[in-house]
Amino acid sequence: MSVYKIEYNDLKELQIFLYKKTGLYFEERKFDYLRIKLENRLDKLRIYSLKEYLNLLKTDLKEIQQLIDEITINETYFMREIDVIDTYFSKIIGYNHHNFSRIKIVSAACSSGEEPYSISILVMEKYPALVDKLNIFAFDIDSNVIEKAKKGIYRQFSLRAINRSTIDKYFIKNNGEYKINDKIKETVSFYNLSIFDPRAYEIMVGSDLILSRNVLIYFGIEYKRKAVNLFYESLKDNGYLILGRSESIYNVNSKFVMVHYPNVILYKKEVKNGS
Ligand SMILES: C[S@@+](CC[C@H](N)C(=O)[O-])C[C@H]1O[C@@H](n2cnc3c(N)ncnc32)[C@H](O)[C@@H]1O
């Protein structure tokens, strides 16, 4: 328990700092969460004033990364809303796959890797003809989750939505943990980057599909717009964006065209021939 009591005004100041630096926007209803995380960090560093801590953040990039690692919410699991991704493969790629020499997919804000690895498992299971064309890139702002993704070792809870035979096929069980097999691992390249980092744009550019699921909810409107515009600009013409089911870009970007399927919405960067 920290000796220093973090007050509302301190949190307000940190809220603005984080927003400007990272786009992460902690609404006031999340201040209790932020306070607990911050107290942990100040205790570890033996710093007892937020002013001192903010000064440190302004000069020490490593500390910003440490704080980001502490406060990001990384909840994810294998095969989360996989029907949406399956719809992309069945309806969009489907019989047209001969037109694609490769399929470039980016998982933006991939957390510990469950999302991009799930795409790879889905394709191996249901669309084997596409395996050799698949090129998956994934990044996240939190360095800890990227390390975990690269190791590819998971607890059973992460696998709660996969059936037993698929687990046996793609994971190696060891000491109660599950290691993703090399064949799947090789299909994904991971990077520790923010969506707003120009290097992330370099990775996204020319994508057929970008997934940005359950991350826009943590941004204020300005950064939401920025992120969605980056996705739009970096996608190939007629490429697609997938969002989390509870997310929408209503009021954020009007260039994407919504494509509806039963229970699924895909966002298309529609570019007509000659336009
Ligand atoms: C709730 S997880 C979502 C993971 C996965 N996309 C899913 O839907 O299961 C949100 C992730 O967004 C990441 N994140 C937050 N801000 C980010 C940013 N500016 N750039 C990249 N990743 C970010 C967090 O570190 C966290 O791992």
Side-chain angles (χ1 to χ4, degrees), residues 36-195:
I36 293 166
K37 297 287 179 185
L38 209 51
E39 279 176 356
N40 289 344
R41 201 63 215 136
L42 293 186
D43 266 358
K44 264 186 212 151
L45 296 168
R46 299 184 180 278
I47 289 181
Y48 300 109
S49 105
L50 197 82
K51 200 167 183 45
E52 193 185 330
Y53 185 61
L54 281 169
N55 282 338
L56 178 68
L57 285 176
K58 281 173 194 157
T59 52
D60 186 345
L61 286 179
K62 274 200 192 130
E63 184 50 37
I64 296 183
Q65 183 65 56
Q66 294 276 10
L67 181 63
I68 288 170
D69 292 356
E70 185 92 34
I71 61 178
T72 44
I73 296 160
N74 309 116
E75 163 60 11
T76 186
Y77 53 91
F78 278 93
M79 300 298 169
R80 184 179 200 177
E81 295 175 4
I82 199 71
D83 56 320
V84 183
I85 303 172
D86 198 5
T87 299
Y88 169 78
F89 280 103
S90 64
K91 305 287 184 198
I92 308 299
I93 303 289
Y95 296 111
N96 294 322
H97 76 88
H98 297 292
N99 298 336
F100 290 81
S101 56
R102 66 171 195 153
I103 302 164
K104 179 174 178 180
I105 298 180
V106 175
S107 164
C110 61
S111 189
S112 31
E114 287 87 333
E115 179 174 278
Y117 285 142
S118 296
I119 299 171
S120 194
I121 293 174
L122 171 78
V123 171
M124 293 217 186
E125 283 290 291
K126 286 191 72 176
Y127 308 97
L130 303 181
V131 170
D132 291 338
K133 298 183 178 185
L134 202 60
N135 230 311
I136 306 177
F137 300 85
F139 61 81
D140 197 284
I141 197 172
D142 181 335
S143 62
N144 291 332
V145 289
I146 288 298
E147 281 319 301
K148 184 171 173 197
K150 284 180 180 167
K151 283 191 188 123
I153 299 173
Y154 299 94
R155 301 239 172 97
Q156 195 164 13
F157 192 60
S158 276
L159 281 65
R160 59 192 180 273
I162 320 189
N163 62 42
R164 176 49 57 189
S165 62
T166 310
I167 294 176
D168 291 344
K169 210 160 155 190
Y170 296 104
F171 294 83
I172 301 144
K173 193 173 178 192
N174 188 17
N175 282 334
E177 292 188 313
Y178 295 80
K179 190 174 192 309
I180 195 103
N181 75 21
D182 287 345
K183 210 165 163 215
I184 299 289
K185 211 165 166 209
E186 280 161 11
T187 60
V188 188
S189 308
F190 288 101
Y191 305 84
N192 176 209
L193 288 173
S194 163
I195 289 168

Side-chain angles (χ1 to χ4, degrees), residues 212 214-220 224 227-228 231 243 247-249:
S212 164
N214 308 301
V215 59
L216 295 178
I217 35 170
Y218 301 112
F219 299 156
K224 227 182 230 178
V228 176
F231 300 146
L243 300 175
E247 295 172 306
S248 130
I249 50 170

Side-chain angles (χ1 to χ4, degrees), residues 191-253:
Y191 305 84
N192 176 209
L193 288 173
S194 163
I195 289 168
F196 307 107
D197 188 315
R199 286 170 295 170
Y201 184 83
E202 292 301 314
I203 289 169
M204 292 191 290
V205 83
S207 299
D208 294 288
L209 171 68
I210 295 177
L211 293 104
S212 164
R213 303 197 298 173
N214 308 301
V215 59
L216 295 178
I217 35 170
Y218 301 112
F219 299 156
I221 182 71
E222 204 184 316
Y223 277 81
K224 227 182 230 178
R225 280 203 182 109
K226 234 187 228 184
V228 176
N229 286 339
L230 283 168
F231 300 146
Y232 189 87
E233 293 307 324
S234 56
L235 276 170
K236 255 186 185 163
D237 289 353
N238 299 314
Y240 285 81
L241 171 69
I242 290 181
L243 300 175
R245 243 200 195 106
S246 57
E247 295 172 306
S248 130
I249 50 170
Y250 175 75
N251 228 355
V252 171
N253 178 304

